[in-house]
Amino acid sequence: DFTTANSYIGRHVTLDGGNDQTVSGDVSGVDVSDGTPRLIVGENTYPLSSVLLVEPGTATSTVQPSAGA
């Protein structure tokens, strides 16, 4: 479970937020304070069991040309 949770960091997930609602956002970290990994999305944490969809992260990275290129 810890390996799976860590693999979600930086990914965009859609989660079951309860009450017939879904929540989407980028996973910024994993909270293991209670011994069970929970994904940190925004200001909330969610259990791995709530994951409905995993996609590549939405953050863009830039590549700097090497010196002399």
Side-chain angles (χ1 to χ4, degrees):
D1 283 345
F2 293 107
T3 302
T4 300
N6 283 331
S7 72
Y8 291 157
I9 294 174
R11 302 283 188 134
H12 187 81
V13 294
T14 300
L15 306 153
D16 179 354
N19 298 323
D20 293 323
Q21 295 182 10
T22 58
V23 176
S24 294
D26 290 341
V27 178
S28 61
V30 177
D31 177 9
V32 292
S33 59
D34 67 357
T36 303
R38 294 178 61 88
L39 303 177
I40 301 171
V41 178
E43 296 181 9
N44 298 306
T45 64
Y46 301 89
L48 292 177
S49 61
S50 67
V51 175
L52 302 172
L53 178 67
V54 179
E55 301 175 281
T58 57
T60 58
S61 61
T62 57
V63 176
Q64 299 293 327
S66 59

